[in-house]
C-alpha cells in the first residue's frame, strides 16, 4: 500500500508528499464528504420523522483526529435530547470512520446511545446498538467497506422507535 498520509515526527499536520499520496488523499476526502452527506440525509429524515422533544438537536460533523496508530477521519451525526423529567442531555450517535495506520486502514461504524435515564427498551447507560470494525485494509478496500457500513447505518431507521420516540 502506498503511503497515504504521513505524520512528521514533530508535526501536528498531515503531510502529503507525492502524486499517489495526493490522489489517495483526494479519494479519501471526497468519499468521506459523499458519505457524510448520505448519512446527513438519513439522520435529518429521522429528526423530521420523530419527536425527539423540545430543545433537541441534530449535529453532523466530520472530525479529523491524530491517534497513536495514525490519523482518523470520522463522520458523526449526534442527536441530543432530554428524557422526560431529566435536565441532562442524552445522545444518540451514528458514526463511521477510517484510521490510516502503518499496517493498513481500520474501518469502524457504530450506533450508540448514551441515556441519562431509561428510555424505550434501554436503561440509563451507554448502549452500543451496532458496531463493526475491519482491520488491515487497503485504502480502496477500506473506502468500499466504509460505504457498506454507512449504508448499514442508513438502514437503522427503527432506532428512534426502539428508544420510545413517537413519530410526528
Amino acid at each position: 500500500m502506498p503511503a497515504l498520509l504521513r505524520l512528521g515526527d514533530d508535526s501536528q499536520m498531515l503531510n502529503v508528499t507525492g502524486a499517489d499520496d495526493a490522489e489517495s488523499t483526494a479519494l479519501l476526502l471526497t468519499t468521506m464528504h459523499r458519505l457524510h452527506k448520505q448519512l446527513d440525509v438519513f439522520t435529518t429524515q429521522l429528526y423530521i420523522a420523530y419527536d425527539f422533544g423540545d430543545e433537541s438537536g441534530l449535529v453532523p460533523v466530520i472530525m479529523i483526529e491524530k491517534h497513536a496508530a495514525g490519523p482518523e477521519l470520522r463522520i458523526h451525526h449526534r442527536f441530543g435530547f432530554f428524557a422526560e423529567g431529566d435536565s441532562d442531555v442524552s445522545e444518540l450517535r451514528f458514526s463511521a470512520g477510517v484510521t490510516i495506520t502503518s499496517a493498513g486502514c481500520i474501518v469502524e461504524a457504530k450506533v450508540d446511545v448514551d441515556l441519562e435515564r431509561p428510555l424505550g427498551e434501554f436503561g440509563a447507560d451507554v448502549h452500543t446498538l451496532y458496531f463493526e470494525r475491519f482491520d488491515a485494509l487497503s485504502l480502496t478496500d477500506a473506502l468500499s467497506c466504509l460505504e457498506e457500513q454507512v449504508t448499514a447505518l442508513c438502514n437503522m431507521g427503527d432506532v428512534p422507535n426502539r428508544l420510545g420516540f413517537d413519530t410526528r
Side-chain angles (χ1 to χ4, degrees), residues 95-112:
S95 68
V98 62
T99 303
I100 312 298
T101 74
S102 59
C105 297
I106 300 168
V107 172
E108 286 186 357
K110 186 176 191 179
V111 176
D112 64 349

Side-chain angles (χ1 to χ4, degrees), residues 52-54 80-91 114-120 124 163 165:
F52 286 90
D54 294 339
F81 55 89
F82 295 94
E84 187 174 329
D86 195 0
S87 61
D88 294 322
V89 176
S90 292
E91 292 183 344
D114 184 354
L115 298 175
E116 297 298 321
R117 291 203 173 184
L119 191 61
L163 290 166
F165 290 110

Side-chain angles (χ1 to χ4, degrees), residues 1-23:
M1 175 173 110
L4 168 67
L5 299 172
R6 278 200 299 249
L7 291 172
D9 293 332
D10 298 325
S11 174
Q12 296 296 323
M13 301 299 292
L14 299 175
N15 296 314
V16 178
T17 58
D20 289 342
D21 293 346
E23 282 183 37

Side-chain angles (χ1 to χ4, degrees), residues 10-165:
D10 298 325
S11 174
Q12 296 296 323
M13 301 299 292
L14 299 175
N15 296 314
V16 178
T17 58
D20 289 342
D21 293 346
E23 282 183 37
S24 295
T25 301
L27 178 62
L28 172 65
L29 294 175
T30 56
T31 300
M32 289 299 288
H33 181 256
R34 182 175 44 78
L35 295 175
H36 179 64
K37 289 185 345 186
Q38 179 182 339
L39 192 56
D40 190 45
V41 167
F42 169 72
T43 56
T44 299
Q45 288 172 347
L46 287 182
Y47 191 69
I48 291 168
Y50 286 89
D51 183 4
F52 286 90
D54 294 339
E55 299 181 43
S56 64
L58 171 60
V59 179
V61 301
I62 297 177
M63 298 174 56
I64 300 174
E65 296 181 343
K66 180 180 172 183
H67 298 286
E72 175 187 40
L73 184 59
R74 178 169 292 277
I75 53 179
H76 283 280
H77 292 253
R78 183 176 49 233
F79 295 83
F81 55 89
F82 295 94
E84 187 174 329
D86 195 0
S87 61
D88 294 322
V89 176
S90 292
E91 292 183 344
L92 168 61
R93 300 177 288 250
F94 290 79
S95 68
V98 62
T99 303
I100 312 298
T101 74
S102 59
C105 297
I106 300 168
V107 172
E108 286 186 357
K110 186 176 191 179
V111 176
D112 64 349
V113 61
D114 184 354
L115 298 175
E116 297 298 321
R117 291 203 173 184
L119 191 61
E121 62 186 68
F122 302 98
D125 203 355
V126 176
H127 304 275
T128 301
L129 310 179
Y130 177 84
F131 179 78
E132 288 284 341
R133 178 184 167 122
F134 301 91
D135 294 294
L137 301 172
S138 69
L139 178 62
T140 304
D141 290 344
L143 295 179
S144 292
C145 182
L146 196 58
E147 288 189 42
E148 292 170 9
Q149 292 305 308
V150 169
T151 298
L153 295 179
C154 292
N155 285 318
M156 299 192 71
D158 67 328
V159 172
N161 188 42
R162 292 176 59 198
L163 290 166
F165 290 110

